[in-house]
Amino acid sequence: MKRFAAAFLSVLFLAVPALAGATVAQAEEGARLRVELNELNPRVVTNSTTTLTVSGTVTNTGDRKVNRPQVRLQVGDRVTTSRGVNDVLSGAVIKDSPLTDFASVADALEPGQSAPLNITVNLTGSKALFSRPGVYPLLVNVNGTPEFGGPARLGAVSMLMPVLAGPGKPAGHSSAGAPSMTLLWPLTGSVPQVYAAPYGRPLVLRDDKLADEIGPEGRLNALVTAATTAVRGDSNLAKSMCFALDPDLLATVAAMGRGYQVHTGNGNVDGKGVQTANTWLASLRSLLTGRCAVALPFADADLNTVSRIRPGDPILVAQAAAAAATIQQLAGIAPQTGVLWPDGTLNEAVLTALTQAGVKTVLTDAAKIAPAGAGGGVTVQGGTVRAQPTDSLISAAMTGVPSVPDSVTVAANTEPAISSQNGLGALAFRAGLGLPAGQERPNHLLVAPPRRWDAPAAELTAYLQQVGDFLNAGLVTAQSLPSLLNADPQASGAVGDGGQNPDAAIDPTVVSTLAKLDDQATGIASAMQPDPTKRVKPEDVVAPVRLAELRGASTGWRGLPADAATENAQAEIGAISDQVSVRQPQQTIALASGNSPLPVYVVNDLPVGITARFALSNNTGLRSDDRKEVAFPAGGGRQYFLPVEALRAGRFSVDVSLSTPTGTPLGSSARFELTSTEYGAITIIATVAAGVALLLLASRRIYRRVKDARAGRDLVD
């Protein structure tokens, strides 16, 4: 009986997981397979579409073999709400139907092993689920059975598929009431690349990645190449596009073209991208001729962060917004006057500073504007700045939204080869494709792709071509940014911080470090004096530090180490201070007397004079008056005799350094080896005084003893 019970329990123990395997695996396995798509054709279904092709690879990213990996396409119901679009973007589970049967990917995939994925489906057959115009969820679903687990979905990619008309059917969407559209095309670096660019010295980059970005296979070159191809062949698309330019990127590339160096652990080396920089900048100028352009803040700085570097002072924010002259000079085009496209929402201090700097319009996220949906712009309450909204849903589709926890499904924007697909779907949805007749549509769509869009040139070209097709099909109409901004704002509302998004916030350590460096730069500038022969202003010498502070506040540093963001500003401060230094003596200095001055040779290679103080440390054998300020003229070295006093005889060392009157260190300290055979006057006086005091004390003691002895004799008598 006991044996039977044991056998029964053993069978039950093994059977229960087998019965519940799919559920357990679905909940616990996670995304063990990575699905990478390299083709989706077509991107939009029209009445002439007959087939849909999806291809890519499936890779086992887990630690267990996956048996019988299979793939199929699944289609959901048309999305009719923004929430439905967001569900697709986040990987939420939606109701869908199979578009294909499961097809085998491989017999099994070992950990790290990949296999090709290829599906072609006839859209005119019995499974023609794209029957009416609209935007449909399309899912590439890969199932498999991991070792020690049950069948489950182990990887998937979700996307939006616009359908202008059912395959083989007449056009189903109407162009009546189509909203107008303007497309921003951002050009900014991944992160600011300047390591140091001191006044009058060559540019030094932190690495040579920018040369790769603007090179033939680089991200920035792809953006320029794709746009050049697109606007030359489509006048409607060209009319709708406006190029968003980062003045720091332009200035850096222009400086690279004149020759530059790259910082390494073993010193600076010549950069490889001189010709590449000149070629890319020439291509950009050619593209921009006669086009619309708008400025980004310098280095795409987070203006709220900039305002916290120097609280209450609008100058730094204004400097970040002062991009027109740089763009005009380097790109050969005047950007839209008084228009800025900052990232995020702006606090009150920033809006005030921008108003003072002449900014009249900021392009910003529509979700942060009250009243919502004011497509024609909002005049900010309490000010004169106009907030022109970019479309939040389209931006989210192209940039990405937080995924559903534990979901194995990723959005198409994570797939470089089809990263624009959800943006196309969201654009079609916002244009009203397939929506009920009574549902409200926006009057205008300002489309803002990711600021650092990283996609192959072919994908960028496909995106622009499809947007052009939307324009030609009447789904949207082209409107230039100047025309849009010429219209009066539709409402008055609030645009403000509304609480910082933790994922978008700049590291507080960065702000703190930049604020300290800004104080140091201010202290150095206040100690400088113009040299009449060189005609250089102190503000020009410290200007690279201010630009470095803006680079440190760049949105490109979000999520990266704080040290990387502040490296440029620290290097610029160091480049200034290192030009004023005490030269290390080559031999031991003998002090002829206790009050002999200490000969110190100071080099000032700055093009301006500077006032500083000597500071002695490790100076137990020497005393000096370090409160005296000394003016060091520009351009050269000079011997100074520092009044000191030896406190003891013998051989000893002392470290000599310089600092500004506000305490900012200059250069590095130099160690002086000294010998002294005499004491200084103060030491001698102190010694004599001590001797006199000792003599007086001894005399007093002798006097008391004599007095006590006499008193004793008197008692005996």
Side-chain angles (χ1 to χ4, degrees):
M1 187 67 180
K2 291 182 179 180
R3 290 181 179 179
F4 175 80
F8 175 79
L9 290 174
S10 299
V11 171
L12 183 63
F13 178 80
L14 295 173
V16 170
L19 293 172
T23 304
V24 173
Q26 186 75 27
E28 297 180 358
E29 291 299 338
R32 291 186 168 273
L33 298 179
R34 183 177 70 244
V35 182
E36 295 177 295
L37 302 183
N38 53 39
E39 181 185 2
L40 174 66
N41 185 35
R43 298 303 187 87
V44 176
V45 175
T46 66
N47 56 1
S48 61
T49 303
T50 58
T51 60
L52 174 65
T53 298
V54 177
S55 65
T57 59
V58 178
T59 303
N60 183 352
T61 57
D63 57 358
R64 285 183 271 168
K65 181 171 74 172
V66 175
N67 295 306
R68 297 181 298 281
Q70 299 175 323
V71 61
R72 75 177 178 187
L73 301 184
Q74 298 170 199
V75 178
D77 295 334
R78 292 187 306 170
V79 291
T80 57
T81 64
S82 297
R83 180 176 179 179
V85 173
N86 280 319
D87 284 343
V88 177
L89 302 179
S90 65
V93 177
I94 60 175
K95 181 182 178 181
D96 55 25
S97 302
L99 183 61
T100 68
D101 296 327
F102 273 113
S104 176
V105 173
D107 292 335
L109 288 176
E110 298 287 346
Q113 189 176 6
S114 299
L117 174 159
N118 293 288
I119 303 177
T120 298
V121 56
N122 185 357
L123 297 182
T124 60
S126 58
K127 293 185 176 179
L129 299 180
F130 300 126
S131 57
R132 295 184 297 165
V135 179
Y136 292 78
L138 176 64
L139 184 74
V140 181
N141 177 27
V142 181
N143 283 13
T145 305
E147 284 186 323
F148 316 114
R153 177 183 295 176
L154 301 181
V157 177
S158 65
M159 65 195 81
L160 298 169
M161 176 58 74
V163 176
L164 296 183
K169 296 184 178 181
H173 78 280
S174 171
S175 60
S180 58
M181 184 208 73
T182 302
L183 173 62
L184 298 173
W185 199 250
L187 293 168
T188 187
S190 298
V191 295
Q193 289 293 335
V194 176
Y195 175 79
Y199 179 85
R201 297 195 174 186
L203 169 71
V204 181
L205 301 184
R206 64 179 67 248
D207 52 46
D208 224 354
K209 292 180 180 178
L210 184 54
D212 295 330
E213 283 200 82
I214 61 178
E217 304 300 322
R219 179 183 69 85
L220 289 168
N221 188 65
L223 287 164
V224 171
T225 301
T228 300
T229 302
V231 298
R232 286 177 179 171
D234 192 327
S235 58
N236 268 339
L237 181 63
K239 176 183 176 181
S240 72
M241 291 186 72
C242 194
F243 296 88
L245 306 175
D246 174 9
D248 180 47
L249 173 65
L250 298 181
T252 302
V253 174
M256 289 172 64
R258 298 189 293 270
Y260 69 103
Q261 294 183 314
V262 175
H263 179 72
T264 71
N266 298 320
N268 297 338
V269 299
D270 290 337
K272 65 182 181 181
V274 175
Q275 186 56 48
T276 302
N278 291 325
T279 300
W280 184 83
L281 199 55
S283 299
L284 178 63
R285 290 194 186 106
S286 177
L287 167 64
L288 295 177
T289 301
R291 310 291 181 198
C292 168
V294 67
L296 296 170
F298 186 89
D300 193 24
D302 183 315
L303 297 185
N304 289 351
T305 296
V306 173
S307 70
R308 289 192 284 271
I309 295 174
R310 199 187 299 170
D313 188 342
I315 293 178
L316 205 57
V317 173
Q319 186 173 3
T326 300
I327 293 174
Q328 172 92 47
Q329 177 185 0
L330 300 178
I333 184 174
Q336 296 298 303
T337 303
V339 181
L340 191 69
W341 182 22
D343 193 18
T345 55
L346 306 178
N347 60 39
E348 185 176 349
V350 170
L351 289 171
T352 300
L354 291 179
T355 301
Q356 296 173 359
V359 174
K360 299 177 181 178
T361 301
V362 293
L363 311 180
T364 189
D365 185 352
K368 308 298 182 183
I369 293 180
V378 169
T379 300
V380 179
Q381 291 175 346
T384 59
V385 174
R386 170 185 180 148
Q388 184 64 42
T390 59
D391 192 274
S392 304
L393 187 66
I394 299 175
S395 294
M398 302 183 76
T399 305
V401 299
S403 60
V404 172
D406 302 323
S407 174
V408 302
T409 305
V410 299
N413 69 282
T414 64
E415 307 277 304
I418 62 164
S419 57
S420 68
Q421 184 62 29
N422 284 342
L424 293 172
L427 173 58
F429 172 81
R430 293 287 286 147
L433 182 63
L435 296 183
Q439 190 161 331
E440 185 178 354
R441 305 181 189 181
N443 296 323
H444 182 80
L445 298 172
L446 181 54
V447 179
R451 301 169 87 84
R452 294 170 180 82
W453 196 359
D454 189 3
E459 174 63 8
L460 298 172
T461 300
Y463 172 77
L464 289 174
Q465 180 179 347
Q466 190 56 63
V467 172
D469 289 346
F470 283 166
L471 289 167
N472 296 329
L475 187 64
V476 287
T477 61
Q479 183 174 13
S480 68
L481 185 65
S483 172
L484 173 65
L485 299 182
N486 282 337
D488 293 332
Q490 293 181 345
S492 176
V495 179
D497 226 347
Q500 186 68 270
N501 179 0
D503 295 331
I506 300 292
D507 189 333
T509 304
V510 172
V511 181
S512 175
T513 301
L514 293 177
K516 291 177 182 177
L517 294 172
D518 183 77
D519 289 341
Q520 290 183 17
T522 300
I524 292 175
S526 66
M528 292 178 175
Q529 306 88 37
D531 185 284
T533 63
K534 300 184 182 298
R535 299 181 180 180
V536 177
K537 298 178 181 179
E539 293 81 4
D540 295 336
V541 180
V542 298
V545 182
R546 310 304 189 194
L547 297 180
E549 292 169 19
L550 299 180
R551 295 188 188 104
S554 172
T555 60
W557 295 116
R558 288 172 179 167
L560 297 177
D563 290 347
T566 60
E567 185 179 49
N568 180 205
Q570 291 172 336
E572 300 293 3
I573 286 285
I576 296 173
S577 65
D578 287 348
Q579 295 184 66
V580 184
S581 60
V582 177
R583 181 165 295 178
Q584 183 79 32
Q586 300 299 314
Q587 58 189 12
T588 301
I589 297 175
L591 300 179
S593 67
N595 292 320
S596 293
L598 180 65
V600 180
Y601 194 83
V602 176
V603 177
N604 177 18
D605 288 331
L606 293 171
V608 294
I610 191 167
T611 299
R613 293 174 179 171
F614 287 103
L616 272 62
S617 59
N618 189 31
N619 58 327
T620 55
L622 208 64
R623 175 184 295 167
S624 172
D625 182 8
D626 57 4
R627 294 171 296 176
K628 183 179 180 181
E629 297 179 0
V630 181
F632 302 102
R638 185 175 299 181
Q639 186 100 314
Y640 294 86
F641 293 94
L642 182 61
V644 295
E645 179 191 356
L647 301 178
R648 61 182 175 86
R651 185 183 182 95
F652 52 93
S653 61
V654 63
D655 295 328
V656 181
S657 60
L658 291 168
S659 66
T660 66
T662 57
T664 300
L666 296 172
S668 57
S669 63
R671 172 152 295 188
F672 286 63
E673 298 295 336
L674 308 176
T675 60
S676 176
T677 58
E678 297 189 30
Y679 292 105
I682 294 177
T683 304
I684 295 174
I685 293 172
T687 303
V688 171
V692 171
L694 182 61
L695 180 61
L696 290 175
L697 289 172
S699 299
R700 181 172 179 271
R701 188 169 185 180
I702 293 171
Y703 169 76
R704 293 191 64 177
R705 285 185 177 180
V706 171
K707 183 178 179 181
D708 291 344
R710 288 178 179 175
R713 285 197 298 271
D714 290 343
L715 290 174
V716 172
D717 293 342

